[in-house]
């Protein structure tokens, strides 16, 4: 075996996969990345990593990578390679043509949490100064928009209240709708460390995940609730807290509104939410609900971590409010070892939320309808801005089907594969006159595009990411962009082509603009982050080096709010035709819709999505391990292999969504959260049947290309 050549360069950067945001030293040889070494000084990971960040990096050189801009007149025509100037001029002209014919609001934009803070900020600026509307949204819409809404409503800030290291001081850890040992494995290992030291663990999840039962991580209480009953169960836990007087009265009187607490106490204290009433409806032992409530309330330091199993429901925002209420009631905020913390799924989805990629908010979670806020942006940008909120992403697709929405600029997202009710999305995409996709590969969404702008990976750009703990870290260019431009440069060119003059020499100047216009980022700069390694917002004159723990003395609005969280059952129900409930999630080695990880050696660990089904349900349907099965719902159908599993309860099936050929979102409903339109991915009534013929699939991965000359 030949001796490997020694790398000739290295750059410290930030992983772009999950919301942990691990620091890495990317080592290169002749301009090509050859190794990713976990950075010991990384404050999010302390030298640890998972198999995605460590090994799944060579997708950026995969033969599928698009390296030149392309255009076509129709989605049925072949692509034609063109120059950057021609592609951008054509794209801008098409958007302007559509607006002239159909109105200013007939086009919109979508930003990506795989992009940097600076690129996300520029995309929302594109919508506001180039399109002159607020039709801008981001992937947080379909994952953590209820976090922003629910935590803002209760605590006043739609982000994690702690830093990751705070868990090392927790006595009780409550994990709701998340599986950190697979979805956020570096944080998961820190959680296991604390459990080995004696912390108690409560898990609320329909599935018996690795977090429930694996080496060094066994739950003291596992509430394997029926999908869709999150709010019911959380209100039942609250019922025990108030009826047994386990709440922290002094904290509530000092830091909350007592009359709101009394109203909330009257709601959750009703017999409707007693464990004896809730247990049968949620398929739980009432005594387990009581044990969970007593354990959490006793603390003395109890902390909450939650994921998409809370947010991706028709009552997603209500579920987040339940968690905020519970923490407030028990006084578990404002110090180390406590708090309410969303485990975000993408490397910069927190940045996507912070930096204005919302149709109703500018950066810093400030409303476009606020005259004073809007005036600050108008003064900086030199033009008047639309005071009316724009369309959310689901509304854009609905309007496209209705014929009033005609064009979309999509940066780094694949809604055809990732968004719910896939047939609905494809019909909407096909009904638009100009779809511009900026990405690394010809994704499922790119099949409906008229302009393709080849983007840059996180290894080919400079900027910053904001992770799940509000930590802003440097993203440094390791290799030159294969198509010649970084994503932020492409967006700036688009803005200029639309008639708004704009110029930056470096993304550091974009962060300077963010700091001018966003209070939480007020003290941020490349220089500060370079000096400190990373900085958690809020960073301002009161906290010049950032803030690890929020709410230590007061909440953003002074006092926190108890919100009423009555349970409303989802309209998606199992019945005789569709007797099983499907829920979805992730696996350790793959990432989201797999655009990147499927093009790496990580397919050796996971090469396809599987359907987990309980032995009892499989037996009644004549299904064996590895059999091909059809999964059908009221919205569509797909096929995949079966895995007989005790991880799911009878009546519940589970799959991942990492492979395009699985078409998992072809069967999910278009039901969504009442407040934010976050899709209800976690509850879909289905039927499963054994089928004879296997599905013909495309190869999952090819060997990476040679390094460019």
């Amino acid at each position: 075996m030949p001796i490997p050549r020694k790398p000739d360069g290295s750059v410290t950067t930030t992983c772009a996969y999950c919301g942990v945001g691990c620091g890495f030293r990317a080592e290169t040889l002749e301009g090509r990345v050859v190794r990713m070494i976990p950075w010991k000084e990384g404050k999010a990971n302390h030298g640890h990593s998972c198999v995605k960040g460590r090994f799944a990096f060579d997708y950026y050189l995969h033969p599928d990578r698009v390296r030149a801009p392309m255009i076509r007149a129709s989605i049925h025509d072949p692509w034609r390679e063109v120059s950057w100037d021609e592609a951008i001029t054509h794209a801008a002209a098409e958007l302007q043509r559509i607006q002239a014919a159909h109105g200013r609001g007939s086009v919109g934009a979508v930003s990506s949490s795989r992009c940097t803070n600076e690129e996300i900020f520029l995309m929302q600026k594109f919508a506001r100064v180039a399109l002159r509307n607020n039709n801008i949204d981001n992937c947080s819409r379909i994952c953590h928009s209820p976090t922003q809404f629910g935590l803002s409503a209760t605590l006043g800030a739609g982000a994690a209240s702690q830093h990751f290291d705070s868990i090392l001081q927790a006595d009780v850890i409550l994990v709701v709708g998340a599986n950190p040992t697979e979805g956020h494995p570096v944080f998961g290992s820190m959680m296991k460390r604390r459990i080995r030291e004696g912390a108690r663990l409560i898990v609320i999840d329909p599935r018996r995940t690795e977090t429930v039962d694996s080496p060094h991580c066994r739950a003291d209480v596992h509430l394997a609730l029926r999908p869709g009953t999150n709010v019911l169960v959380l209100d039942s836990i609250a019922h025990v807290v108030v009826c047994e007087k386990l709440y922290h009265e002094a904290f509530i009187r000092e830091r909350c509104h007592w009359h709101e607490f009394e109203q909330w106490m009257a709601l959750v204290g009703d017999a409707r939410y007693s464990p004896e009433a809730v247990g049968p409806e949620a398929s739980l032992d009432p005594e387990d609900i009581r044990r969970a409530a007593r354990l959490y309330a006793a603390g003395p330091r109890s902390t909450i971590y939650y994921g998409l199993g809370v947010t991706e429901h028709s009552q997603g925002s209500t579920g987040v409010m339940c968690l905020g209420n519970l923490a407030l009631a028990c006084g578990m905020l404002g110090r180390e070892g406590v708090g309410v913390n969303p485990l975000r799924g993408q490397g910069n989805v927190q940045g996507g939320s912070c930096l204005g990629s919302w149709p109703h908010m500018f950066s810093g979670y400030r409303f476009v309808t606020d005259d004073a806020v809007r005036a600050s942006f108008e003064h900086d940008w030199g033009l008047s801005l639309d005071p009316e909120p724009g369309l959310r992403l689901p509304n854009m697709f609905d309007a496209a089907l209705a014929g009033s929405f005609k064009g979309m600029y999509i940066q780094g997202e694949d809604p055809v594969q990732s968004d719910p009710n896939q047939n609905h999305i494809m019909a909407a995409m096909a009904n638009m006159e100009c779809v511009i996709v900026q990405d690394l590969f010809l994704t499922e969404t790119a099949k409906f595009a008229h302009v393709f702008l080849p983007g840059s990976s996180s290894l080919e750009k400079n900027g910053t990411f904001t992770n799940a703990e509000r930590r802003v870290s440097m993203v440094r260019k390791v290799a030159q962009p294969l198509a010649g431009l970084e994503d932020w440069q492409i967006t700036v060119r688009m803005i200029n082509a639309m008639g708004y003059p704009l110029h930056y020499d470096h993304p550091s100047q974009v962060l300077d603009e963010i700091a001018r216009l966003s209070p939480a980022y007020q003290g941020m700069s490349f220089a500060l982050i370079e000096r400190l390694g990373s900085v958690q917002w809020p960073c301002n004159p009161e906290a010049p080096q950032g803030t690890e723990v929020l709410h230590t003395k007061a909440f953003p609005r002074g006092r926190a709010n108890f919100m009423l969280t009555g349970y409303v059952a989802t309209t998606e129900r199992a019945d005789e035709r569709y007797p099983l409930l499907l829920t979805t999630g992730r696996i350790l080695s793959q990432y989201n819709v797999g655009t990147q990880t499927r093009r790496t050696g990580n397919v050796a660990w996971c090469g396809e999505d599987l359907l987990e089904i309980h032995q009892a349900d499989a037996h009644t349907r004549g299904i064996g391990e590895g059999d091909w099965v059809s999964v059908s719902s009221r919205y569509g159908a797909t096929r995949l292999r079966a895995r007989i599993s005790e991880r799911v309860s009878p009546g519940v099936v589970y799959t991942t969504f990492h492979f395009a050929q699985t078409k998992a979102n072809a069967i999910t409903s278009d039901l969504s959260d009442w407040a934010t339109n976050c899709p209800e991915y976690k509850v879909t009534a289905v039927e499963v049947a054994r089928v004879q013929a296997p599905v013909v699939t495309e190869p999952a991965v090819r060997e990476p290309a040679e390094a460019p000359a």
Side-chain angles (χ1 to χ4, degrees):
M1 178 181 294
I3 299 174
R5 294 171 61 189
K6 184 178 180 180
D8 57 20
S10 69
V11 177
T12 301
T13 189
T14 303
C15 181
Y17 282 125
C18 81
V20 174
C22 295
F24 276 90
R25 190 175 74 250
E27 296 189 339
T28 58
L29 178 62
E30 297 176 353
R32 176 173 178 167
V33 181
V34 294
R35 188 163 57 191
M36 297 290 284
I37 306 296
W39 186 37
K40 291 183 179 180
E41 301 303 317
K43 294 181 182 178
N45 62 312
H46 304 295
H48 297 277
S49 71
C50 79
V51 296
K52 291 190 289 292
R54 180 73 174 84
F55 301 115
F57 60 85
D58 52 356
Y59 68 87
Y60 87 101
L61 285 178
H62 195 273
D64 289 351
R65 184 79 183 271
V66 180
R67 306 185 184 207
M70 301 185 297
I71 63 176
R72 58 184 176 179
S74 163
I75 62 173
H76 305 293
D77 294 339
W79 287 106
R80 178 171 63 90
E81 286 192 6
V82 296
S83 67
W84 275 109
D85 286 344
E86 183 176 351
I88 288 173
T89 299
H90 174 77
E94 281 293 279
L95 294 176
Q96 289 170 330
R97 175 189 63 79
I98 291 170
Q99 287 186 303
H102 302 284
R104 192 169 66 182
S106 60
V107 294
V110 182
S111 69
S112 172
S113 295
R114 290 188 291 151
C115 289
T116 65
N117 286 320
E118 295 72 23
E119 290 160 348
I120 290 168
F121 184 81
L122 286 173
M123 278 297 286
Q124 63 86 32
K125 187 171 183 178
F126 168 84
R128 292 175 167 123
V129 304
L131 301 183
R132 303 301 307 277
N133 64 39
N134 289 310
N135 292 342
I136 175 68
D137 214 338
N138 72 99
C139 71
S140 186
R141 173 67 56 204
I142 63 171
C143 60
H144 270 288
S145 51
T147 284
Q148 185 271 319
F149 189 91
L151 290 185
S152 293
T154 50
L155 310 183
S161 54
Q162 305 295 116
H163 57 124
F164 288 146
D165 288 359
S166 176
I167 198 173
L168 297 177
Q169 299 185 48
D171 300 304
V172 178
I173 302 166
L174 172 58
V175 178
V176 190
N179 183 16
T181 57
E182 284 208 273
H184 304 80
V186 170
F187 170 77
S189 68
M190 190 180 299
M191 179 185 71
K192 290 182 180 181
R193 170 183 165 184
R194 183 57 185 159
I195 291 168
R196 288 197 301 272
E197 294 171 346
R200 311 290 294 277
L201 176 64
I202 306 164
V203 177
I204 303 177
D205 198 292
R207 187 167 166 259
R208 193 175 183 82
T209 65
E210 290 77 0
T211 300
V212 173
D213 186 8
S214 61
H216 309 294
C217 193
R218 288 186 172 84
D220 294 87
V221 181
H222 175 212
L223 300 181
L225 75 177
R226 183 172 59 80
T229 59
N230 281 357
V231 170
L232 182 65
V233 171
L234 292 171
D235 279 345
S236 187
I237 290 173
H239 176 94
V240 177
V241 169
V242 300
C243 290
E244 296 186 8
K245 292 183 167 47
L246 304 177
Y247 50 85
H248 194 316
E249 182 173 343
F251 180 92
I252 298 166
R253 288 190 180 277
E254 179 185 355
R255 303 199 56 187
C256 307
H257 299 282
W258 183 257
H259 70 281
E260 289 183 355
F261 172 70
E262 290 180 315
Q263 292 172 343
W264 173 76
M265 187 164 52
L267 171 73
V268 299
D270 189 271
R272 165 77 177 91
Y273 296 113
S274 71
E276 288 69 31
V278 167
E281 191 171 348
S283 302
L284 295 176
D285 182 341
E287 189 55 34
D288 285 341
I289 298 175
R290 293 189 181 279
R291 288 173 58 213
R294 292 164 182 163
L295 191 57
Y296 176 83
R301 292 169 298 186
S302 297
T303 186
I304 298 172
Y305 294 90
Y306 70 92
L308 304 186
V310 171
T311 59
E312 290 180 343
H313 287 271
S314 56
Q315 277 201 291
S317 292
T318 311
V320 176
M321 291 176 191
C322 286
L323 299 176
N325 290 340
L326 183 62
L328 290 169
C330 297
M332 300 297 179
L333 286 157
R335 51 199 169 97
E336 295 277 8
V338 300
V340 183
N341 306 282
L343 291 173
R344 305 225 178 214
Q346 294 201 60
N348 201 29
V349 74
Q350 182 63 62
S353 297
C354 296
L355 297 175
S357 278
W358 297 106
H360 64 304
M361 284 181 173
F362 293 115
S363 59
Y365 302 110
R366 292 169 302 152
F367 294 102
V368 300
T369 53
D370 187 309
D371 292 342
V373 169
R374 195 171 63 256
S376 68
F377 284 85
E378 290 176 335
H379 179 267
D380 200 271
W381 293 348
L383 78 173
S384 61
L385 299 173
D386 190 344
E388 293 297 321
L391 296 174
R392 296 173 175 179
L393 186 55
N395 304 140
M396 294 185 202
F397 291 129
D398 290 343
L401 277 174
S404 60
F405 190 83
K406 298 290 187 177
M408 183 181 285
Y409 175 18
I410 304 171
Q411 180 194 66
E413 288 299 313
D414 189 5
V416 169
Q417 190 179 343
S418 64
D419 286 30
N421 196 347
Q422 187 179 67
N423 294 325
H424 174 83
I425 302 299
M426 291 192 295
M429 297 291 293
N431 213 36
M432 284 189 262
E433 294 181 11
C434 181
V435 174
I436 304 161
V437 169
Q438 183 174 320
D439 214 315
L440 306 180
F441 306 101
L442 285 172
T443 61
E444 296 300 298
T445 299
K447 294 176 180 178
F448 297 87
H450 305 84
V451 179
F452 189 91
L453 305 176
S456 54
S457 73
S458 64
L459 297 168
E460 302 166 316
K461 63 179 68 172
N462 291 301
T464 60
F465 282 163
T466 305
N467 77 346
E469 55 176 349
R470 299 172 281 105
R471 185 180 302 282
V472 182
S473 303
M474 295 300 302
V475 176
R476 297 182 178 91
K477 185 187 293 187
V478 182
Q480 293 302 314
L482 292 189
L485 296 176
E486 298 177 39
D487 283 308
W488 69 272
Q489 294 172 314
I490 300 170
T491 304
V492 169
R493 282 198 175 193
M494 284 289 295
I495 293 172
N496 278 294
M498 293 289 291
Y500 180 88
L502 191 64
H503 176 78
Y504 304 94
D505 294 311
H506 191 269
S508 61
Q509 296 169 334
V510 183
L511 184 58
D512 292 342
E513 183 175 332
I514 292 170
R516 287 198 306 272
L517 294 168
S518 314
Y521 284 71
Q522 184 179 354
M524 292 280 184
S525 67
F526 272 39
L528 179 67
I529 300 168
E530 291 278 9
R531 180 165 61 86
L532 299 179
S534 61
V535 181
Q536 289 178 263
W537 66 258
C539 176
N540 51 38
E542 291 73 39
Q545 295 191 359
T547 309
E548 290 186 333
V549 179
L550 297 182
H551 318 312
T552 55
K553 297 179 181 179
F555 293 97
R557 290 188 293 264
R559 290 177 179 264
N561 299 317
F562 280 89
M563 302 298 293
L564 298 182
T565 54
Y567 171 63
V568 179
T570 175
T571 57
E572 181 69 10
R573 307 289 182 86
D575 57 21
E576 290 185 1
R577 184 176 180 185
Y578 301 108
L580 305 174
L581 289 177
L582 169 72
T583 189
T584 60
R586 296 170 178 171
I587 199 166
L588 172 62
S589 61
Q590 296 293 327
Y591 170 73
N592 276 17
V593 296
T595 303
Q596 294 152 269
T597 47
R598 280 188 283 111
R599 292 176 168 91
T600 72
N602 276 29
V603 291
W605 284 296
C606 173
E608 62 179 327
D609 296 312
L610 300 171
L611 183 79
E612 290 187 10
I613 184 169
H614 191 273
Q615 177 64 55
D617 294 322
H619 179 74
T620 60
R621 291 164 175 80
I623 296 169
E625 179 74 19
D627 284 350
W628 284 95
V629 297
S630 68
V631 185
S632 57
S633 72
R634 298 179 179 93
Y635 314 96
T638 189
R639 293 185 177 190
L640 60 165
R641 293 185 191 272
R643 170 176 285 172
I644 311 303
S645 175
E646 296 298 318
R647 290 187 179 274
V648 292
S649 302
V652 177
V653 292
Y654 167 89
T655 191
T656 51
F657 49 85
H658 302 305
F659 293 83
Q661 60 267 33
T662 301
K663 301 184 184 301
N665 288 340
I667 56 178
T668 52
S669 78
D670 54 5
L671 297 176
S672 64
D673 173 47
W674 63 272
T676 68
N677 284 130
C678 183
E680 190 169 62
Y681 287 124
K682 303 304 183 186
V683 190
T684 305
V686 300
E687 178 58 293
V688 178
R690 184 172 180 268
V691 293
Q692 297 295 326
V695 177
V696 177
T697 61
E698 299 175 359
V701 66
R702 299 201 305 266
E703 289 300 315
E706 292 301 316

